[in-house]
Amino acid sequence: MGIFRRVKTIAMAEVNGLLDGIEDPIAMLNEYSREMEQEIAKGQKALARQIFVENKQAALISETQALEDKRTRQAKLAIEKGEEGMAKLAVQEKLTLEKQAALYQEQYEAVKTQTKILVEKLDQLKETYNQMQQKKILLASRANVAQSMKQIQKATVSFQTDTIARGVARAEERILLMEAEVQAGSQFAAPLAQFDTAYDNFINDEELNNEIEKLKNEKVTI
């Protein structure tokens, strides 16, 4: 017997664990709100019935008192006319109506007390519902913030240092390659510049012959 109880406990624990994992706090709050709204609706219907009973009881008291007043007038009229038998019947019915009215009044007071209690309970239920709605808004905001932070943390954790390091290394290699290309271009342009300079310094035959003729025409001064 103990083994089966332990197996049941373990199974229930696992089921509860799974349920805890899939519970959505916002959905839970919405469900609690719907249940509270249903309770309020039931309370309002019960209050409506209670008010109906109270009004009906009040009307019954009024009718009984009106009938009692009528029998009182009939009894007085019978006494004035000397109709003793009629007067006794009227008085007897008047006394019965008085007792009924007193009983109805007592019942009415009990109904009013029940109505008051029901109104107070319904007001408390509505107040609790309003507080829960305000708290639900706050909790929903907190849940959204927590979910956002959780997603941010998950995204942050997903970044791997090795991946970032490899990216930086690739960027560095690219920059080094660009610098090497610039340097190689500079080295290639240097011989051309030197050739151009040597060419510019080269003296042709025409310049040489002109300079010799110029010197021949000049007199040598000792």
Side-chain angles (χ1 to χ4, degrees):
M1 188 67 179
I3 295 177
F4 290 111
R5 185 181 296 111
R6 290 180 61 187
V7 171
K8 180 180 179 181
T9 302
I10 294 173
M12 290 299 295
E14 292 178 352
V15 171
N16 290 330
L18 291 174
L19 292 176
D20 291 339
I22 63 175
E23 281 181 345
D24 183 358
I26 304 302
M28 290 170 60
L29 292 174
N30 291 333
E31 180 61 27
Y32 293 149
S33 295
R34 285 191 291 268
E35 292 179 0
M36 187 75 69
E37 290 170 357
Q38 293 174 358
E39 292 299 320
I40 292 175
K42 291 178 183 178
Q44 289 175 339
K45 289 181 180 179
L47 180 59
R49 290 193 297 268
Q50 187 70 19
I51 293 175
F52 171 77
V53 172
E54 182 179 328
N55 293 337
K56 186 176 180 180
Q57 191 72 14
L60 183 60
I61 293 173
S62 297
E63 293 173 1
T64 304
Q65 289 176 344
L67 189 57
E68 179 186 345
D69 294 339
K70 182 178 180 181
R71 292 296 180 265
T72 300
R73 291 192 300 271
Q74 290 175 346
K76 289 180 179 180
L77 184 60
I79 291 173
E80 290 176 358
K81 291 182 178 181
E83 298 175 352
E84 186 177 350
M86 185 64 68
K88 286 183 178 180
L89 289 176
V91 171
Q92 184 178 4
E93 188 170 353
K94 172 184 175 299
L95 295 174
T96 302
L97 291 171
E98 284 181 355
K99 293 181 180 180
Q100 287 181 348
L103 178 61
Y104 292 157
Q105 185 64 37
E106 183 179 350
Q107 293 174 346
Y108 177 69
E109 295 299 330
V111 171
K112 284 179 62 177
T113 301
Q114 293 175 352
T115 303
K116 182 179 179 181
I117 294 174
L118 187 57
V119 169
E120 290 176 353
K121 288 184 178 295
L122 187 58
D123 288 340
Q124 291 175 358
L125 187 60
K126 289 180 179 179
E127 180 64 21
T128 302
Y129 174 78
N130 291 333
Q131 292 177 357
M132 187 181 70
Q133 290 299 103
Q134 295 176 359
K135 192 170 185 179
K136 185 178 75 172
I137 295 174
L138 177 60
L139 292 176
S141 177
R142 289 172 57 186
N144 290 332
V145 172
Q147 184 65 24
S148 298
M149 293 300 296
K150 185 177 179 180
Q151 292 177 352
I152 292 173
Q153 291 176 352
K154 184 178 180 181
T156 303
V157 172
S158 64
F159 281 113
Q160 297 181 1
T161 306
D162 294 340
T163 303
I164 298 175
R166 286 195 296 269
V168 173
R170 285 196 299 271
E172 185 178 5
E173 290 176 357
R174 180 61 180 169
I175 293 172
L176 290 174
L177 179 60
M178 293 170 62
E179 292 175 346
E181 290 175 349
V182 172
Q183 185 177 2
S186 299
Q187 292 295 330
F188 180 75
L192 294 179
Q194 293 174 0
F195 179 79
D196 291 338
T197 302
Y199 182 79
D200 291 338
N201 295 330
F202 179 76
I203 300 174
N204 55 32
D205 293 338
E206 184 180 358
E207 290 177 338
L208 181 60
N209 294 329
N210 290 335
E211 185 65 21
I212 292 173
E213 290 298 328
K214 181 181 178 181
L215 292 175
K216 286 181 180 180
N217 296 326
E218 291 181 356
K219 292 182 180 182
V220 177
T221 304
I222 300 175

